[in-house]
Every structure is written in C-alpha cells, then in structure tokens.
C-alpha cells in the first residue's frame, strides 16, 4: 500500500522540480502588444514580466524599420514592469529587444516586433 503511493507521487515531484527550474522572469505581456499593429508610433513601450526585476540590469531598446534606435535609453523599472519612452520613428516594423535580471538572479532576454501605420 505505502509502496504504491510513493510510486504514484514520484512523477508529480519531477513535474514540480521542472517547474522551479524554469521560473525566471519571462515576458507576460507588452504594450503595444507582441505582433500587433498600431496606427501611429506609441509614446512608450511597456513590458510586464512574471517576476520582479532588478532595475540596474534590466533594459529595453527599440529600433524602427530603418534599424535606428528610437528609445530614449531611459528604461524605468517598477516591480515586475518596465517601460521606455520612444520617439516617433515613422511607419513600418519596430523591434523591441529586452534584457532583464530578475530578483532570483537569473537573466533572460528576448525580442519581438510590432507594426506602425496603415
Ligand atoms: Cu530564474
């Protein structure tokens, strides 16, 4: 009886272990939304993460369709959210690159695009 109980919970423990290993700060959502189209250039790009961020080592850069930096370089972190003001950079595909250090000391990074115009 006891043996069969242990056997049945072992796979659950493995699943919990895997969950802990991947619990870094991942991108939860963004504004403008990932892959979305907006009519005019937004004033800022804001990202929400699944964990609190360390402000000193977390930043966002944004480039326009011509590959020019359009962010002000002044990323602001507030808990699990960070935001950077951007200048109008015309229409086309904007790319957002983010790099974060979460409070669990793990770094994660990623990028996505959104469309401006039409
Ligand atoms: Cu982590």
């Amino acid at each position: 009886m006891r043996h069969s109980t242990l056997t049945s919970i072992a796979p659950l423990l493995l699943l919990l272990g895997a969950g802990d290993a991947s619990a870094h700060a991942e991108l939860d959502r963004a504004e403008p939304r990932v892959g979305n189209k907006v009519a005019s250039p937004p004033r800022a790009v804001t990202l929400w993460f699944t964990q609190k961020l360390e402000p000193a080592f977390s930043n966002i850069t944004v480039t326009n369709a011509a590959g020019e930096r359009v962010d002000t370089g002044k990323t602001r972190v507030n808990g699990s959210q960070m935001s950077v003001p951007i200048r109008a950079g015309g229409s086309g595909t904007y790319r957002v690159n983010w790099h974060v250090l979460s409070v669990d000391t793990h770094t994660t990074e990623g990028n996505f695009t959104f469309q401006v115009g039409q």
Side-chain angles (χ1 to χ4, degrees):
M1 188 63 182
R2 179 167 294 166
H3 180 260
S4 70
T5 302
L6 284 173
T7 303
S8 64
I9 65 170
L12 282 174
L13 291 174
L14 283 173
L15 281 173
L16 289 171
D20 281 344
S22 61
H24 313 312
E26 300 296 343
L27 183 63
D28 182 37
R29 62 195 172 93
E31 187 60 48
R33 285 181 225 159
V34 174
N36 210 28
K37 186 174 278 190
V38 293
S40 56
R43 299 255 174 106
V45 168
T46 304
L47 309 180
W48 287 264
F49 288 85
T50 56
Q51 276 192 28
K52 286 189 175 176
L53 309 175
E54 291 287 355
F57 301 100
S58 301
N59 65 77
I60 306 170
T61 59
V62 184
T63 53
N64 66 4
E68 301 160 341
R69 282 277 297 272
V70 292
D71 63 274
T72 62
K74 292 175 180 166
T75 300
R76 262 186 262 167
V77 172
N78 183 7
S80 60
Q81 173 196 331
M82 69 175 175
S83 181
V84 69
I86 69 175
R87 308 180 192 97
S91 60
T93 302
Y94 283 52
R95 180 169 293 275
V96 177
N97 296 284
W98 56 265
H99 186 99
V100 303
L101 177 66
S102 52
V103 291
D104 72 356
T105 72
H106 293 138
T107 59
T108 49
E109 60 188 348
N111 66 83
F112 65 90
T113 60
F114 64 89
Q115 308 289 321
V116 174
Q118 274 90 346

